[in-house]
Amino acid sequence: MKIRAVIFDIYGTLLEVGPPPADARERWERLCKDRLPGPARLTLDAFMAECEKIIAREHDAARTTGVRHPEIFWPSVAQEAFPELERLPDAGRDDFLFEHAQLQHTVRLMPGAATTLATLVEKKIVLGLASNCQPYTLRELDQNLSAAKLVRSIFAHELCFFSFVAGFSKPDPRVFRWLQDRLQTRGIPPGETLMVGDRPDNDIEPAETQGFQTWLLSAAPFPGKHAGGGWPALDRHLSTLLV
């Protein structure tokens, strides 16, 4: 069946995620010294340990209300764990949290992704995003798209699901019902939409349950029932599906 829309996951799909930088702890100390008055009250490890406690508490509270796959809002968690952030203006706090995120992992645009995205834009295929993510994720995506001479506005705003906004995350079936409703306003059914992601449990299986076509992004063809492979294989697959 031909497709008229493609929805992409971000981490592990559009953005390749690598390990933290080797000097993350030293960079944390410099970040705190440069952005906050006085030395860091918490080490990087202690800060993350405090955040994990808060996240666990918030997840437990959400589950008691029936949210099976809860999501937190990272700026609120970080500020509770590290009240010194309250002293920063909003833009300064955003910058601090973005720089902190770069101490937790490294990211780059997946090799081959830019070419495929440019082709889809040229073919006027409707694009969207479905990601378990936080505000800093969008800045990471913006930077990497910009380096490839692309912009995030190639993804239709109304077709971008971000878990930190919704308060719940994939694989909650509401994610793909949310997308289905918004695609329907464009006259596009799930069967004419391809979901591209790197996790069977979060991306592929819940999308298939709602009737989406799927592609499991992986370094090698994935054994089993799911169509999949790397970006070159996806590019070839798309060439057979485009209207």
Side-chain angles (χ1 to χ4, degrees):
M1 183 181 294
K2 300 295 185 180
I3 61 165
R4 297 165 59 196
V6 183
I7 308 295
F8 290 95
D9 173 48
I10 296 180
Y11 288 127
T13 301
L14 291 175
L15 294 180
E16 183 178 58
V17 181
D23 61 345
R25 293 178 177 83
E26 292 78 11
R27 287 169 59 179
W28 167 259
E29 297 295 332
R30 291 198 300 271
L31 174 61
C32 292
K33 181 179 178 181
D34 293 344
R35 299 298 182 103
L36 300 170
R41 178 178 57 84
L42 296 175
T43 66
L44 178 59
D45 292 336
F47 170 64
M48 291 308 298
E50 286 298 312
C51 290
E52 289 298 331
K53 293 177 186 176
I54 296 167
I55 291 170
R57 182 197 72 203
E58 292 301 303
H59 281 180
D60 287 344
R63 289 188 181 102
T64 63
T65 67
V67 181
R68 292 180 57 196
H69 304 283
E71 180 63 280
I72 51 87
F73 183 59
W74 174 246
S76 296
V77 171
Q79 191 164 303
E80 180 178 343
F82 204 47
E84 291 89 334
L85 294 176
E86 296 178 6
R87 305 174 192 172
L88 297 177
D90 290 347
R93 187 162 53 249
D94 290 345
D95 287 344
F96 184 100
L97 294 177
F98 175 76
E99 291 186 43
H100 165 262
Q102 309 320 296
L103 307 182
Q104 299 302 299
H105 59 212
T106 53
V107 296
R108 66 167 184 163
L109 197 64
M110 279 281 195
T115 300
T116 300
L117 289 173
T119 298
L120 292 171
V121 171
E122 181 182 355
K123 297 288 187 180
K124 301 188 184 306
I125 299 300
V126 176
L127 303 179
L129 298 167
S131 177
N132 293 348
C133 64
Q134 292 296 329
Y136 59 76
T137 308
L138 306 187
R139 191 161 164 183
E140 291 175 336
L141 183 61
D142 288 343
Q143 285 190 353
N144 283 277
L145 288 173
S146 178
K149 296 182 169 51
L150 295 168
V151 292
R152 183 159 38 103
S153 59
I154 65 175
F155 302 100
H157 175 75
E158 72 274 15
L159 295 177
C160 290
F161 173 89
F162 303 130
S163 60
F164 74 88
V165 175
F168 58 89
S169 62
K170 298 179 296 184
D172 194 307
R174 288 179 293 173
V175 174
F176 291 96
R177 289 201 293 269
W178 185 95
L179 287 166
Q180 182 178 352
D181 289 344
R182 284 152 182 78
L183 285 161
Q184 195 62 49
T185 65
R186 290 173 170 258
I188 303 175
E192 295 180 5
T193 304
L194 182 71
M195 174 64 201
V196 180
D198 66 308
R199 289 184 54 172
D201 57 343
N202 271 6
D203 303 313
I204 305 306
E205 291 162 5
E208 289 178 345
T209 298
Q210 300 300 323
F212 288 74
Q213 295 188 55
T214 61
W215 183 267
L216 179 62
L217 196 73
S218 59
F222 189 82
K225 64 179 181 178
H226 305 299
W231 276 94
L234 172 60
D235 200 48
R236 292 191 297 271
H237 182 64
L238 285 168
S239 69
T240 70
L241 298 177
L242 299 182
V243 176

